[in-house]
Amino acid sequence: MYKLVANIVKVILKLMGSKARVYGEENLPKEGGYIIACTHTGYVDILNLGVAMYPQEIHFMAKKQLFEMKGLGWLIEHLNAFPVDRDNPGPSVIKIPSQLLKEGKVVGIFPSGTRNSEGTDLKQGAITIAQLAKAQIVPAAYVGARNAGDVMKRGKGYLIYGEPFYVTGKGKEGREQFTQHLERELVALTEELENRIAVK
């Protein structure tokens, strides 16, 4: 189903002029599992990231409430998403993505692009998973169309991948250090993307 949906979404975004222009593709690891941590402002960024990386499939981390919604839960489960309880995180928060990474798959996490408590928690979650799984993180930023309304108005999308990195720090101190590093990378990538758009 992932292949079918990816191709349908690709056609729709292309026809509407909202398919993202992509920069930094050379930064994507050629083999092995890794985490892609992308800024998140709506749901079109999720679609554009999935389309941009296809045929590489992404296993998205999604809040469990989405799986409880009739129809949507069934769909995202068949699109490789897996649930996470952000309010009461258990062992599965680490276990499921770690297993996916071990199998050489890509795990997608959307920490907020802003400096708020939820964004920091999600960034630290991505760092914790990378630290324990010894997997690379690819920071990414998206700017552009956010929702169906933007797509209908032919809003453009832009996506950029940063350089991958390993979490080399140990323990809690290492996680805090690399969470800050990820935050800086996401801010810098967003600024770089906005500068590229401005000179067009």
Side-chain angles (χ1 to χ4, degrees), residues 32-33 59 96-106:
H59 295 256
I96 295 174
S98 294
Q99 182 59 38
L100 290 168
L101 292 165
K102 186 178 179 180
E103 294 170 2
K105 295 173 180 174
V106 177

Side-chain angles (χ1 to χ4, degrees), residues 4 26 32 38 46 85 88 91 100 120 139 149 162 178 193:
L4 174 64
E26 69 279 2
C38 186
I46 301 174
D85 187 342
N88 299 290
L100 290 168
T120 299
F178 278 87
L193 199 50

Side-chain angles (χ1 to χ4, degrees), residues 81-188:
F82 59 94
V84 172
D85 187 342
R86 294 180 183 174
D87 297 322
N88 299 290
S92 63
V93 173
I94 303 296
K95 186 177 179 180
I96 295 174
S98 294
Q99 182 59 38
L100 290 168
L101 292 165
K102 186 178 179 180
E103 294 170 2
K105 295 173 180 174
V106 177
V107 172
I109 300 177
F110 288 91
S112 171
T114 57
R115 292 179 64 91
N116 57 35
S117 58
E118 183 186 58
T120 299
D121 288 344
L122 288 171
K123 291 185 188 82
Q124 188 154 56
I127 293 298
T128 301
I129 293 165
Q131 183 187 54
L132 296 176
K134 297 180 173 57
Q136 295 184 84
I137 290 189
V138 176
Y142 173 87
V143 173
R146 300 181 182 188
N147 51 44
D150 292 342
V151 173
M152 293 301 291
K153 294 175 184 175
R154 304 187 71 81
K156 298 186 181 301
Y158 302 87
L159 178 66
I160 186 170
Y161 305 116
E163 294 185 10
F165 63 90
Y166 285 99
V167 178
T168 55
K170 306 297 183 182
K172 181 180 178 182
E173 185 176 329
R175 288 192 294 275
E176 291 176 349
Q177 174 191 347
F178 278 87
T179 296
Q180 292 172 6
H181 175 72
L182 177 57
E183 289 180 344
R184 289 193 298 269
E185 287 292 297
L186 294 177
V187 170

Side-chain angles (χ1 to χ4, degrees), residues 3-15:
K3 180 179 180 180
L4 174 64
V5 173
N7 282 306
I8 291 173
V9 170
K10 181 178 181 179
V11 170
I12 293 172
L13 291 175
K14 193 170 184 178
L15 287 174

Side-chain angles (χ1 to χ4, degrees), residues 40-55:
H40 184 42
T41 57
Y43 58 81
V44 176
D45 47 21
I46 301 174
L47 300 177
N48 260 316
L49 181 61
V51 165
M53 293 190 62
Y54 187 77

